Amino acid sequence: GENVEQHPSTLSVQEGDSAVIKCTYSDSASNYFPWYKQELGKGPQLIIDIRSNVGEKKDQRIAVTLNKTAKHFSLHITETQPEDSAVYFCAATTAAGNKLTFGGGTRVLVKP
Amino acid sequence: GAVVSQHPSWVICKSGTSVKIECRSLDFQATTMFWYRQFPKQSLMLMATSNEGSKATYEQGVEKDKFLINHASLTLSTLTVTSAHPEDSSFYICSAIRTSGSPYEQYFGPGTRLTVT
C-alpha cells in the first residue's frame, strides 16, 4: 500500500519568514495530493491540493509543488503569520479507492 | 458549503459501555464517508470506509465487531464503539466525499474526543 513520509516533524520560524514542508510517497499510481491544516482539538482543513497532471499550484501565500518522477511534493508558506501555527499533514491517494494516506504531520510554530 | 458535523464533540464513558458517534454532511449528500482515529500528537489513521446502503470496509487491524459503522442515509454515518475500554480513548474524525462533486476531496468533521474511564 501507499506510504507517505513527511519532514520535518517540527518547524519553528520567525514571523514573516517562509516555511517549507516536504513529503515523499511510495505508490507511483497516486495522483491526488492534498495538504491539511489541523488546529488543536479540531478536524483537518484542506488548505491546498494538487493533481498529478500539474507541477505547481499557488493560492495567495501557500504553494505546493509536485515532482512525480522523484515522488515527492512540498508545501511552501510565505510571509508566515502567527495564525499559521498549527499541525500540517500531507496526504496522497489514487483514484482507485479514494483512501487518503497521511504523512506523520509537521508541527509549525510561527514566532512573533 | 461542504460542512461536516460530528456529535458529540466530546464524550466520557465508563469501561464496558458503548458509545455512538454521529457524522453528518450538512449541505451535501455523501455516498462515501470515512472514519479516522487520531492519538495525541500522531497522524490520522483510517479505520473504515463507509458507503451508503452497504457494509463498511474496515482497514486491516480494525475490529469490525468493536467499531460498528452504519451509513443508513446519504447524510449520516454512525460509529459505535462497543464495550469500550481505556485504550479506545482517542480523537475520532469522520470525513465525507460529495456524491456529485470531486471524487477526491474529503471534507472533515471537527472530531469527537472519546475518553473511556
Side-chain angles (χ1 to χ4, degrees), chain A residues 31-32 36 38 41-44 46 49 51 89 93-95 97-100 102-105 107, chain B residues 32 34 36 38 41-44 46 49 59 91 93 97 102-106 108-111 113:
Chain A
N31 57 3
Y32 176 65
Y36 294 91
Q38 186 179 30
K42 298 184 179 180
L46 179 70
D49 58 12
R51 305 271 174 100
F89 291 98
T93 190
T94 66
N98 299 323
K99 294 196 295 185
L100 286 172
F102 282 85
R107 189 171 300 274
Chain B
T32 302
F34 301 89
Y36 296 85
Q38 185 178 35
K41 296 187 178 182
Q42 292 190 23
S43 189
L44 285 77
L46 180 65
T49 302
E59 294 300 300
F91 194 49
I93 308 171
I97 294 180
S102 164
Y104 296 95
E105 291 185 33
Q106 292 188 27
F108 284 83
R113 173 123 1 242

Side-chain angles (χ1 to χ4, degrees), chain B residues 1-4 26-28 98 107:
Chain B
V3 178
V4 176
L26 298 185
D27 52 1
F28 65 98
R98 285 178 186 263
Y107 300 94

